[in-house]
């Protein structure tokens, strides 16, 4: 507050020699001295310099006002006054200041429902400088605004100042949050074509309801999206393209915490579809561009005939994007498809919307150079094998996206990969493409100790590297050893033998299990296998495999019944198989799109030699459809959370006599050993029905069958390439023989699961509920079963 020196009175004194009745302005006095009062930290010389007042110079009212303003503008003072200290002989001015205290710190007190970190971002105070009162008030307002936007209309924010020992101050922002405002009702005015209940169902700002998930929470941003996006989109889907929200208001009662949202709308007219005109298309005919057109038939649209039907803006925008993609996928990356709409009224007063696609095709682009940058370990040939878009061909966005997905599926690089760089050259007629990758650690090693029923104390060691020598070759070693077990497995896979398109896998194993599994006795087995794969008709996604395997197995110390049924001292098994595989899945190991079809036929024994003589047929089909994404990048180049719907159908059939190799038959239940069926124990689903006493350490030969059927439906969220959550429904059964196969007689399970690719390998945890369990007396006893999966997350 300015308290200025009464200079006018000073200038009229006789000491200055002015005449009493003179009309001329009084002369400006000469200052004899200027003194500083009230300062503690700031020196007098600094204050005088900032004021601009200098002794032995003239100073009038304007000079004094400028001095006070200059001192306030430094931000160092809370109060500045200039008073007259003249003693009758000398003109003396005193500048009296009150310094602002130094801010030693500040603190938020009371926030719980909104993270303190979020609130701190709105406080711009600088510790160690004199306190800025304006910024203190501004920060308090910003904190209060955050609470208002989150729906806490009863929240209050006050600022309290505490003195510190070093003559500074500490500020405390006291927050009383109160309760979030709950929407008690939503009032909509101006709607004549649809009831208010339909409009409320279309927005996210819904009133509180009976169920726990209908809390009626209010947020400014949510209501903003409702009135700007969701309601116009909802009406546009029904032909009301002129719809607009006139006003939206929140009437809140901070005492009760209840609020009413009032929305005033103007619906406009419902438009029917008139005619479609396509202008500028030369590369594609109108018939080609109107395939799948949402209004009328393709023939009507191509000829410009009247279409009829209610206009749907969402469908119109989707059709326009389809036409744009048609050009992009055929090299016309510079093509522009402009959607136009023109209104008219028919003689019967029906509003009609004529549609037009104005197409600027431009010249097609040819793929120029394709570069790969960032691969320090993986050989470039491995990456280029995954690229399906080639230099010299017309640019195709779908093939570019598929190439990007194939490189991601290799599993050798950090996810999500950067979007490929597309650099147009030669007036956009040539497109250079660069794929950027960043290597990641691909191998894993796991080791430790284990103890289990029948296995005793032991240990395990595992090594796996899916990118040996940087050439995409896979090596795997597993060794489990201990008091009663010695299990060794070694395998090597080469996806491109001698840099050809021929793949191969060789594996050897030697297993000695000295514990008893149910009444099976001790088991010793050793064997090896070789598999060769070739592209099917040159396809990148389809392959045909031929395999041969040999195995020797011995059982002893089992029950008399077992010895009578399965004499094996020792037995040998010789196997030849052919398998067809087509895999177009995207996002492995947790796919969110694409499909996989696998069909295999095996001949065991017979003319191949060895014990047994039987044939085996296995069919495994899986489909994945994307349900949407959250935070993903434009163009489908991954990133964010991917939601998917997955369907799996599997069946197997064995014809003939497996002889002593009953473990080659099918078993069902659990997740670790046989065909997975979550919600049930390992080996618990038998050809005779559910076996409540079965477990992973107790399996009977009666648990195996010659045929099975298994189905799974799941909805999942792929958080990243390493983390996946899902809800599932499983159904399956195992049958004594092929003739008994009945895919309508199934055991059912449902639940939730999570899968993780960790440094120790793939891990999974599932909680399943078995609907068709029974107790030992055969009475229904449905219940939950917790499953832990190690390694086989893709089953």
């Amino acid at each position: 507050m300015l308290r200025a020196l009464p200079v006018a009175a000073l200038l009229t004194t006789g000491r200055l020699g002015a005449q009493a009745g003179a009309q001329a302005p009084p002369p400006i006095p000469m200052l004899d001295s200027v003194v500083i009062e009230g300062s503690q930290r700031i020196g007098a010389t600094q204050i005088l310099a900032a004021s601009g007042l200098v002794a032995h110079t003239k100073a009038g009212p304007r000079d004094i006002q400028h001095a006070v303003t200059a001192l306030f503008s430094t931000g160092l003072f809370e109060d500045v006054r200039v008073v007259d200290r003249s003693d009758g002989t000398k003109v003396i001015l005193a500048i009296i200041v009150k310094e602002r205290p130094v801010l030693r710190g500040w603190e938020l007190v009371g926030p719980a429902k909104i993270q303190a970190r979020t609130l701190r971002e709105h406080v711009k105070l600088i510790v160690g400088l004199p306190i800025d009162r304006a910024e203190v008030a501004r920060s308090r307002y910003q904190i209060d605004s955050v609470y208002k936007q989150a729906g806490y209309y009863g929240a209050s924010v006050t600022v309290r100042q505490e003195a510190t020992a070093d003559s500074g101050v500490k500020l405390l922002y006291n927050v009383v949050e109160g309760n979030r405002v709950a929407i008690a009702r939503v009032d909509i005015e101006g709607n004549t074509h649809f009831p208010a209940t339909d409009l409320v169902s279309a927005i996210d700002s819904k009133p509180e309801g009976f169920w726990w998930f209908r809390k009626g929470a209010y947020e400014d941003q949510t209501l903003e999206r409702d009135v700007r996006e969701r309601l116009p989109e909802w009406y546009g889907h029904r032909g009301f393209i002129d719809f607009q929200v006139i006003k939206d208001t929140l009437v809140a009662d901070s005492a009760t915490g209840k609020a009413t949202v009032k929305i005033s709308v103007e619906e406009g007219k419902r438009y029917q579809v008139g005619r479609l005109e396509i202008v500028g298309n030369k590369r594609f005919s109108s018939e080609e561009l109107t395939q799948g057109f949402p209004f009328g038939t393709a023939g009507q649209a191509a000829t410009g005939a009247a279409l009829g039907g209610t206009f749907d803006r969402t469908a119109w925008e989707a059709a326009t994007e389809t036409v744009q993609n048609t050009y992009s996928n055929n090299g016309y990356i510079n093509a522009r498809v402009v959607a136009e709409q023109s209104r008219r009224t028919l003689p019967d007063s029906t509003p009609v919307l004529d549609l037009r696609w104005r197409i600027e095709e431009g010249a097609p682009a040819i793929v120029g150079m394709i570069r790969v940058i960032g691969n320090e370990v993986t050989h470039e040939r491995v990456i280029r094998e995954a690229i399906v878009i080639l230099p010299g061909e017309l640019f195709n966005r779908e093939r570019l996206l598929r190439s990007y997905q194939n490189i991601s599926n290799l599993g050798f690089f950090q996810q999500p990969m950067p979007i490929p760089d597309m650099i147009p050259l030669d007036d956009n007629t040539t497109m250079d493409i660069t794929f950027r990758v960043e290597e990641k650690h691909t191998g894993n090693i796991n080791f430790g100790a284990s103890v289990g029923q029948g296995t005793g104390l032991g240990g395990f060691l595992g090594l796996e590297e899916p990118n040996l020598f940087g050439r995409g070759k896979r090596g795997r070693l597993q060794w489990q050893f201990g008091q009663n077990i010695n299990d060794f497995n070694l395998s090597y896979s080469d996806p491109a033998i001698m840099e050809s398109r021929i793949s191969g896998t060789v594996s050897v194993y030697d297993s000695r299990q000295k514990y008893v599994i149910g009444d099976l006795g001790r088991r010793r087995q050793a064997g090896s296998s070789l598999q060769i794969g070739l592209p099917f008709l040159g396809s990148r996604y389809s392959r045909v495999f031929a395999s041969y395997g040999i195995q020797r197995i011995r059982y002893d110390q089992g029950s008399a019944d077992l010895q009578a049924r399965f004499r094996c001292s020792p037995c040998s098994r010789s196997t030849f198989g052919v398998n067809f595989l087509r895999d177009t899945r995207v996002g492995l190991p947790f796919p969110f799109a694409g499909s996989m079809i696998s069909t295999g036929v095996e001949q065991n024994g017979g003319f191949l030699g060895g014990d047994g003589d039987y044939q085996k047929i296995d069919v495994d089909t899986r489909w994945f459809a994307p349900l949407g994404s959250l935070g993903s990048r434009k163009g489908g180049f991954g990133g964010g959370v991917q939601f998917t719907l997955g369907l799996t159908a599997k069946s197997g059939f064995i014809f003939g006599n497996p002889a002593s190799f009953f473990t080659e038959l099918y078993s069902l239940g659990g997740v670790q050993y046989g065909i997975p069926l979550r919600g049930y124990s390992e080996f618990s689903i038998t050809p005779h029905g559910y076996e409540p006493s079965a477990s992973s350490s107790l399996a009977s030969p009666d648990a195996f069958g010659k045929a099975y059927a298994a189905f799974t439906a799941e909805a999942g969220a792929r958080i990243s390439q390493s983390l996946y959550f899902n809800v599932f429904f499983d159904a399956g059964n195992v049958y004594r023989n092929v003739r008994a196969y009945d895919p309508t007689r199934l055991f059912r399970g449902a639940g939730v699961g999570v899968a993780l690719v960790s440094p120790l390998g793939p891990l999974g945890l599932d909680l399943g509920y078995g609907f068709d369990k029974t107790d030992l007396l055969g009475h229904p006893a449905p219940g939950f079963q917790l499953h832990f999966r190690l390694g086989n997350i893709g089953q």
Side-chain angles (χ1 to χ4, degrees):
M1 183 174 182
L2 176 61
R3 298 181 177 88
L5 177 69
V7 177
L10 179 64
L11 296 179
T12 57
T13 61
R15 177 174 55 83
L16 297 177
Q19 299 298 324
Q23 297 299 320
I28 298 176
M30 181 75 69
L31 295 180
D32 293 300
S33 63
V34 181
V35 297
I36 306 298
E37 298 178 5
S39 62
Q40 297 177 354
R41 301 188 319 273
I42 307 170
T45 303
Q46 183 180 356
I47 297 175
L48 284 173
S51 69
L53 297 177
V54 181
H56 308 298
T57 61
K58 293 183 178 181
R62 183 171 297 177
D63 298 314
I64 296 173
Q65 186 177 18
H66 286 171
V68 173
T69 302
L71 290 173
F72 270 119
S73 65
T74 63
L76 301 175
F77 307 103
E78 288 193 322
D79 189 26
V80 177
R81 293 181 298 150
V82 179
V83 299
D84 182 11
R85 292 281 194 260
S86 302
D87 57 5
T89 59
K90 296 181 178 180
V91 178
I92 303 173
L93 293 182
I95 301 177
I96 305 174
V97 297
K98 181 180 180 181
E99 297 175 345
R100 288 184 175 177
V102 175
L103 180 64
R104 301 302 182 187
W106 58 271
E107 182 180 350
L108 287 169
V109 180
K113 298 174 182 177
I114 293 181
Q115 291 185 351
R117 179 179 60 184
T118 302
L119 301 177
R120 289 192 187 99
E121 296 175 353
H122 296 277
V123 180
K124 308 299 183 182
L125 297 173
I126 301 177
V127 176
L129 294 181
I131 191 169
D132 186 342
R133 300 294 182 187
E135 187 57 48
V136 171
R138 192 158 39 243
S139 299
R140 188 203 66 79
Y141 173 78
Q142 291 292 339
I143 294 173
D144 186 72
S145 297
V146 171
Y147 276 95
K148 294 295 188 293
Q149 291 176 3
Y152 292 90
Y153 276 77
S156 64
V157 183
T158 58
V159 183
R160 183 163 55 91
Q161 179 175 306
E162 291 183 352
T164 61
D166 55 358
S167 301
V169 294
K170 179 180 180 181
L171 294 181
L172 300 177
Y173 284 89
N174 292 300
V175 180
V176 179
E177 295 178 319
N179 295 321
R180 172 179 280 180
V181 168
I183 301 175
R185 56 182 296 176
V186 177
D187 292 339
I188 299 180
E189 301 174 352
N191 55 305
T192 57
H193 292 85
F194 303 100
T197 53
D198 289 353
L199 275 62
V200 173
S201 66
I203 63 177
D204 288 343
S205 300
K206 293 181 172 61
E208 57 186 349
F210 173 78
W211 299 106
W212 75 93
F213 54 83
R214 287 286 301 272
K215 298 180 180 179
Y218 170 81
E219 290 187 0
D220 277 354
Q221 294 179 349
T222 302
L223 182 60
E224 182 76 9
R225 286 194 297 270
D226 287 337
V227 300
R228 289 185 178 273
E229 300 175 15
R230 295 188 181 97
L231 280 177
E233 181 180 344
W234 191 87
Y235 266 93
H237 184 59
R238 290 155 178 81
F240 293 86
I241 63 173
D242 296 329
F243 169 86
Q244 57 182 329
V245 176
I246 306 300
K247 182 176 63 174
D248 63 276
T249 308
L250 178 73
V251 181
D253 187 340
S254 59
T256 63
K258 304 298 182 181
T260 299
V261 175
K262 296 184 177 181
I263 301 176
S264 299
V265 302
E266 185 177 297
E267 292 179 327
K269 302 176 182 179
R270 186 200 296 264
Y271 284 86
Q272 302 297 308
V273 180
R275 295 182 174 84
L276 173 67
E277 180 184 8
I278 304 177
V279 180
N281 56 311
K282 298 178 181 178
R283 171 63 179 82
F284 299 101
S285 67
S286 297
E287 289 79 3
E288 291 175 305
L289 296 179
T290 53
Q291 292 298 321
F293 188 70
F295 311 114
T297 65
Q300 286 179 304
T303 58
L307 301 174
T310 301
F311 176 74
D312 184 342
R313 181 160 51 193
T314 303
W316 171 238
E317 292 173 353
T320 303
E321 185 177 358
T322 299
V323 174
Q324 182 71 64
N325 290 337
T326 299
Y327 276 94
S328 297
N329 293 333
N330 287 274
Y332 290 82
I333 60 174
N334 300 307
R336 293 180 65 245
V337 180
V338 181
E340 299 177 350
Q341 304 159 188
S342 59
R343 297 166 173 80
R344 62 187 173 94
T345 303
L346 297 180
D348 61 356
S349 300
T350 301
V352 169
L353 205 62
D354 290 330
L355 308 177
R356 180 186 296 110
W357 279 326
R358 188 176 300 278
I359 300 174
E360 300 173 9
E361 293 183 336
I366 305 297
V367 178
M369 296 183 63
I370 299 179
R371 303 180 181 87
V372 179
I373 297 176
N375 52 313
E376 300 176 354
V377 176
T378 305
H379 284 238
E380 189 164 316
R381 184 199 61 79
V382 176
I383 302 175
R384 290 193 177 275
E385 280 292 320
I387 298 175
V388 297
I389 189 170
L390 303 175
E393 67 179 14
L394 282 176
F395 178 84
N396 187 301
R397 186 172 295 275
E398 283 187 356
R399 293 170 69 87
L400 173 66
L401 177 59
R402 187 71 221 196
S403 300
Y404 173 89
Q405 293 168 343
N406 288 350
I407 298 174
S408 298
N409 278 352
L410 292 174
F412 304 155
F413 309 111
Q414 297 289 350
Q415 300 296 321
M417 289 170 30
I419 296 176
D421 295 333
M422 293 172 283
I423 304 174
L425 304 173
D426 302 331
D427 296 330
N428 296 329
T429 58
T430 303
M431 180 70 71
D432 284 357
I433 302 172
T434 301
F435 294 94
R436 299 183 182 274
V437 298
E438 181 181 350
E439 302 275 4
K440 73 174 183 179
H441 174 72
T442 54
N444 63 72
I445 177 172
N446 52 81
F447 55 88
S450 63
V451 61
Q453 179 182 358
T455 63
L457 181 64
F460 61 90
L461 173 67
L463 297 171
E464 184 174 10
E465 174 54 66
N467 191 20
L468 278 172
F469 320 118
R471 297 184 179 274
K473 309 177 191 300
R474 179 182 295 270
R476 184 179 185 185
L477 179 149
Q478 287 184 317
W479 182 27
Q480 188 174 1
F481 54 89
Q483 178 182 352
N484 296 324
I485 189 170
N486 195 326
D487 196 350
F488 178 84
N489 290 272
L490 179 65
S491 66
Y492 172 78
S493 298
D494 191 340
I497 298 175
M498 299 184 66
E499 298 191 0
S500 67
R501 298 195 67 189
I502 301 175
S503 63
T505 300
V506 60
S507 62
V508 296
Y509 56 90
D510 186 348
S511 176
R512 303 178 183 181
Q513 296 170 330
K514 299 180 182 179
Y515 58 94
V516 176
I517 305 179
D519 58 358
L520 303 186
R522 294 192 307 180
R523 184 181 70 175
R524 298 180 61 182
Q525 61 179 353
S528 62
S529 65
L530 174 66
Q531 182 186 73
I532 300 295
L534 296 168
F536 181 71
L537 301 178
S539 172
R540 289 179 175 268
Y541 306 108
S542 301
R543 297 183 75 83
V544 176
F545 299 91
S547 61
Y548 177 78
I550 188 168
Q551 180 188 50
R552 289 176 61 85
I553 188 169
R554 176 195 300 269
Y555 295 99
D556 56 23
Q557 298 184 7
S559 66
D561 175 68
L562 176 69
Q563 296 297 329
R565 296 173 59 187
F566 304 102
R567 299 183 182 276
C568 196
S569 300
C571 301
S572 63
R573 183 169 67 95
S574 183
T575 303
F576 176 77
V578 177
N579 183 67
F580 170 78
L581 173 67
R582 178 170 177 79
D583 193 350
T584 61
R585 292 175 295 175
V586 177
L588 295 175
F590 307 119
F592 58 88
S595 63
M596 189 274 287
I597 300 175
S598 175
T599 303
V601 179
E602 286 184 5
Q603 168 64 41
N604 292 266
F607 66 87
L608 295 175
D611 297 280
D613 183 5
Y614 65 97
Q615 299 78 41
K616 193 173 186 179
I617 299 177
D618 289 292
V619 179
D620 186 350
T621 57
R622 308 182 186 195
W623 299 272
F624 298 90
L627 296 178
S629 61
L630 183 63
S632 62
R633 296 179 297 193
K634 187 177 180 180
F637 289 98
V641 180
Q642 302 288 338
F643 299 99
T644 183
L645 174 66
L647 299 174
T648 299
K650 300 188 292 184
S651 289
F653 310 91
I654 293 178
F655 303 88
N657 179 22
S660 301
F661 296 97
F662 67 88
T663 54
E664 293 302 312
L665 301 176
Y666 301 112
S667 63
L668 193 69
V671 297
Q672 198 65 37
Y673 297 110
I675 309 301
L677 183 62
R678 290 164 287 190
Y680 298 84
S681 299
E682 309 286 341
F683 309 113
S684 63
I685 307 301
T686 76
H688 304 292
Y690 175 70
E691 176 53 60
S693 62
S695 70
S696 59
S697 61
L698 184 61
S700 167
D702 293 330
F704 300 87
K706 287 187 175 182
Y708 84 92
F711 307 92
T712 295
E714 66 177 284
R718 181 184 185 270
I719 309 302
S720 68
Q721 197 179 37
S722 302
L723 184 61
Y724 177 75
F725 294 91
N726 72 332
V727 294
F728 60 83
F729 178 83
D730 288 349
N733 203 354
V734 62
Y735 311 96
R736 175 61 61 193
N737 51 50
V738 176
R739 183 174 296 178
Y741 179 83
D742 183 1
T744 65
R745 183 166 57 90
L746 304 172
F747 290 86
R748 302 161 300 159
V752 296
V754 57
L756 170 70
V757 178
S758 73
L760 298 180
L763 304 174
L765 192 67
D766 297 285
L767 179 63
Y769 184 84
F771 294 97
D772 303 307
K773 289 183 176 181
T774 59
D775 59 19
L776 294 174
L777 298 177
H779 300 145
F784 286 98
Q785 182 92 24
L786 186 65
H787 303 281
F788 177 74
R789 288 178 288 159
L790 178 62
N792 58 343
I793 59 175
Q795 284 196 0

